[in-house]
Amino acid sequence: MSRPFVFLLRLALVALVLAFLFVPEAFRPLLEPFAPVGAPAIYDRASLLDLTISHLLIVVAAIVPATLISVALAILVSRPIGAEFLPLSRAIVNIGQTFPPVAVLALAVPVVGFGTWPTLIALFLYGLLPIFENTLAGLTGLQPAVAEAAKGTGMTGRQRLFQVELPLALPVILEGVRISLVIALSTATIGSTVAAKGLGEVIIAGLNSNNLAFVLQGGLLTGALAVILYDGLGEISRMTAARS
Amino acid sequence: MIRIEGLTKEYAGNAVVRDVSMEIEAATITVIVGTSGSGKSTFLRMINRLVEPTKGVVEIDGTDTREMKAYELRRRIGYAIQDHGLFPHWTVARNIATVPKLLGWDRKKIDARVHELLELLQLDPDEIAPRYPHQLSGGQAQRVGVARALAARPDMLLMDEPFGALDPVIRAKAQTDLKSIQDRLGSTILLVTHDMAEAIRLGDRIAVMSEGRVEQLAPPAEILTHPASDNVRNLVGDDDRPFRYLSLIPVSERTEEGTAEGTPIAADRSLYDALAEMIWSGREVLPVVGEDGSARGLVRRGALLDAARSVA
Amino acid sequence: MIPRPDKLGAPMGALLAVALALPLASYRANRIALAEARGLFEALPAVWAAALLACAVATIAVALFVRPPAIRLAVPALTLLLLLIAIGVAARMLMANGADYARVAPGTGFWLAGFALSILITDAIVRLKPGPFLRLGVFALAAAAIAAILVTGEWNALSILAEYRGHAATFWREGAHHLQLAFGSLAAAIAAGVPIGILIHRSERLKGPVLSTLSLIQTIPSIALFGMLIVPLSWVAANVPGASEIGIRGIGMAPAFVALFLYSLLPMVANTAAGLSGVSPSVTEAAAGMGLTSRQRLISVELPLALPVILTGVRIVLVQNIGLTTIAALIGGGGFGTFVFQGLGQTATDLILLGALPTVALAFAAAVVLDAVIDVLPGAKA
């Protein structure tokens, strides 16, 4: 596929999502056949735009601190001072990733109750792992010759970190953020089962009332958002990778 | 006997190997030497059809190789390469047994052959056979690679930089061993290398390749004394030519009547070795002995220098 | 002179000390009543409480000042075992004084202590650098200990087991559904993914499009994919003769199976292709030069050498599927998710745990076992 074609495809997808969010009524004829007779074809208990915004806000509110903390932790264990924690932290990340996101979400409910909080906590905890793992891979995977050269030019540890190691690890770190964001977007959808405000509630309302029109619009919307996010971040990390 | 006629390989119109013809006598070593990009590996790989020729014919004992299935042809030709290419998930014994198994030999015959080959290559069968390739040293892995190539008594052996991954000391030993194995088995070998010294040491005949063509095909002494082109001259190296030439001639050819003092040199060593010994020990004359240690005469420095001068 | 305290031992020891001060158990007058905290000495007979306290203090001392990993493993492991038994004892004691409908659950102190001890144990195991067989052994021992506690009825008074007794019949049925879905979709993904992986390894032209399509599918949130598959599958069930007879329906196992299968394709295909392209060129060259046919090369050289990477794909898929199968409950596909979502609906913590804990345990077991298998393979050493 040629580049301009891919670009147009992306643009069309974004335009379609925006159109659906701002004038959902225009899509009623398409969805009507899937709704049971007499039931609404467009989700009517909340505005789709509000739900989308709140969905994205939860994701951002969880992933921003998760990124900061996991990058900081990865830097720490890759320095001599935290080296003792390196094997353990690898094991914890390995074990932690066997915990299903749904289980993390469900287990957070008994601790903090229903609503946005358990979702936020689950997204945050689950978001830590891929970013930590990738940051660590980026920092420790530096070419020995480059690390040696940085030392040889007389850079201090801090200078090496900020001028050489982090910039070179950036594409890998961004890839971790991308993975975390996609998982978070997906887990936030499940968050609706614990009463977090988000697009999952459209799908779940559809499943509960046998309204396939709801299921489809919720599913297509979250699917499209995930694809746009994944694709967009991929483009950004490709740009940084090309530079370094 | 292998007959090669007009062998050519083109990639998208660019000829990598151009119209190469030669005949290879049974029980000889022919070395193809050239710089990287000279087409020597492609040429070799056309013999066992890892690369299909664009034009030309390869005949083995009168049979056109195009008439066989490629994999059947390859089972008749031994193949050894630089990184030995041993299968890492198989033991040494299983690796060596590759082609015999493909040919459907029975178990007993295969076991006996593996044992025989490991001994031939000076590897202890009981110790080495059950090992995995990652448990071998570089030199051992290379020898196992050769054993695997010889396993099914192939019509000929193709070797692509077989010693390329070895350090200089092991490399010299591996070359000597290959030569003596070839003497004993009477194998027909076609070997590719970029190293002219290796070519001179091993080859009965040397084919110098450049830009896809064979520039000269001749015995080593002729390559040294009468290089056919500037390319060949460059590959031989002007400064080293007299020494390379001396390394080809056994001491026995310049031995004279008489007796001399000091540590003797064996008659089957080269004049190059004799010269080195003279320089080290500060002597002008060395006594020469036979394999059994009996006196054969002496060799003089003047005679060596005369021999070396004949190259120029 | 007191040696410098261990860097990890210090925070974990502190966490353990805090855990001892927090409530060990929580008591509720009935299934959904408000929880009341019960401290260590309120929840346990004095002897048990003292023993647990002594073990915990010993663990803190070991965590801070003892170096040999074997001791760092043994002492926290014994303490954890004691803690696990003690929570059962506490539940029996508290229930003896309580009403019939009362529920006793582990409290924050228990969970925190369990967490600190698990981290210390993990750290000790990591420091021992165990081989695959030792790891499997440790895992089997831990699994056996928990099974023994369950079988002997030590935990019967705990609320989660009260919940289990209320759902015993459905628990095993949903468990079977869960495994059927997770393993069935894995099997289908292997059957389809390995050949596709081989294909894209051989065709550079197909590689990009196939992999990017599969990653896009992985990107779609699970609920969305599960839900949207209802539409085409309902259509198939209604319009393809025989489809509904073999169990294809709009809701239930069929869309769950298809969704899990689609999610599993990317790891299987990508890992197969990566494994094959990781085979050293000199090995494939030698195989061709020896006269192996292309099929023989694939079966006896390339696939065996790619196996560790392919199995890593299987591990990823299995762990992922065991987790994702939970979502199947939302579309009537069954599995342990049934309890999780019922529990969430009823605000019943025990029911949530009844669904979530087995899921986590299964995923963890799958990861440990497959990791060990991958390490044992001869190709992994090369």
Side-chain angles (χ1 to χ4, degrees), chain B residues 45 50 71 74-75 79 81 83 85-90 98-99 102 134 148, chain C residues 282-283 285-293 296-297 300-301 304-305 381-382:
Chain B
R45 289 154 54 89
L50 280 172
Y71 63 85
R74 291 174 197 156
R75 289 171 194 178
Y79 188 50
I81 55 180
D83 293 320
L86 294 178
F87 304 126
H89 58 312
W90 288 347
T98 306
V99 180
L102 289 171
H134 70 98
R148 183 175 67 174
Chain C
S282 68
V283 167
E285 160 102 11
M290 302 275 101
L292 277 77
T293 62
Q296 285 167 335
R297 286 205 295 275
S300 56
V301 178
L305 287 175
K381 281 176 285 186

Side-chain angles (χ1 to χ4, degrees), chain B:
Chain B
M1 194 186 79
I2 322 290
R3 199 175 69 81
I4 295 160
E5 185 68 51
L7 208 56
T8 299
K9 180 66 191 179
E10 290 173 4
Y11 288 105
N14 293 322
V16 184
V17 175
R18 302 161 199 250
D19 194 22
V20 172
S21 303
M22 64 173 79
E23 284 187 2
I24 297 167
E25 294 295 323
T28 60
I29 301 185
T30 304
V31 181
I32 318 285
V33 67
T35 52
S36 60
S38 59
K40 58 187 191 300
S41 282
T42 308
F43 171 67
L44 187 81
R45 289 154 54 89
M46 279 193 282
I47 311 280
N48 64 358
R49 287 175 57 198
L50 280 172
V51 171
E52 289 291 346
T54 313
K55 272 189 294 213
V57 184
V58 178
E59 277 176 15
I60 297 180
D61 296 332
T63 315
D64 187 335
T65 56
R66 286 174 302 186
E67 286 162 13
M68 297 179 226
K69 288 206 173 82
Y71 63 85
E72 281 169 1
L73 167 71
R74 291 174 197 156
R75 289 171 194 178
R76 288 177 51 186
I77 298 179
Y79 188 50
I81 55 180
Q82 170 163 358
D83 293 320
H84 59 71
L86 294 178
F87 304 126
H89 58 312
W90 288 347
T91 60
V92 165
R94 177 74 181 84
N95 261 290
I96 295 176
T98 306
V99 180
K101 270 211 158 86
L102 289 171
L103 295 173
W105 289 17
D106 71 52
R107 222 193 122 78
K108 256 193 175 148
K109 192 175 161 196
I110 292 177
D111 287 347
R113 181 66 178 153
V114 168
H115 197 89
E116 178 189 11
L117 280 165
L118 283 172
E119 284 190 330
L120 177 71
L121 285 146
Q122 302 167 39
L123 294 164
D124 177 0
D126 296 330
E127 195 195 332
I128 300 293
R131 288 205 192 162
Y132 282 92
H134 70 98
Q135 297 165 319
L136 302 175
S137 70
Q140 289 171 331
Q142 187 271 334
R143 277 180 276 170
V144 173
V146 173
R148 183 175 67 174
L150 289 169
R153 306 181 207 281
D155 299 334
M156 73 178 307
L157 194 56
L158 303 179
M159 308 182 94
D160 192 350
E161 297 275 6
F163 312 117
L166 302 181
D167 67 55
V169 176
I170 304 175
R171 193 179 170 126
K173 163 102 170 83
Q175 289 165 348
T176 319
D177 290 349
L178 180 69
K179 187 95 184 159
S180 72
I181 288 170
Q182 191 265 342
D183 274 348
R184 198 160 356 146
L185 302 181
S187 332
T188 310
I189 297 179
L190 190 57
L191 185 147
V192 158
T193 181
H194 65 274
D195 177 0
M196 182 56 93
E198 182 165 289
I200 291 170
R201 204 166 304 153
L202 292 173
D204 294 308
R205 287 200 309 166
I206 296 175
V208 181
M209 275 187 82
S210 175
E211 290 172 18
R213 289 180 211 283
V214 172
E215 303 223 329
Q216 187 171 11
L217 173 60
E222 196 181 324
I223 296 269
L224 288 170
T225 50
H226 300 96
S229 68
D230 287 347
N231 272 324
V232 179
R233 203 188 309 274
N234 285 339
L235 266 172
V236 175
D238 260 338
D239 300 342
D240 294 340
R241 273 169 63 211
F243 300 109
R244 297 237 162 110
Y245 185 63
L246 285 182
S247 74
L248 286 173
I249 306 169
V251 169
S252 54
E253 279 198 16
R254 301 280 162 166
T255 303
E256 302 165 22
E257 298 287 316
T259 53
E261 292 299 303
T263 321
I265 187 156
D268 60 350
R269 303 279 299 278
S270 71
L271 292 183
Y272 181 90
D273 298 328
L275 182 62
E277 179 59 31
M278 287 173 187
I279 294 170
W280 276 119
S281 60
R283 288 178 288 171
E284 298 219 348
V285 184
L286 298 181
V288 177
V289 292
E291 236 172 274
D292 50 2
S294 62
R296 290 284 175 84
L298 57 82
V299 60
R300 293 180 192 283
R301 194 167 69 188
L304 297 186
L305 299 184
D306 285 346
R309 220 171 358 251
S310 71
V311 190

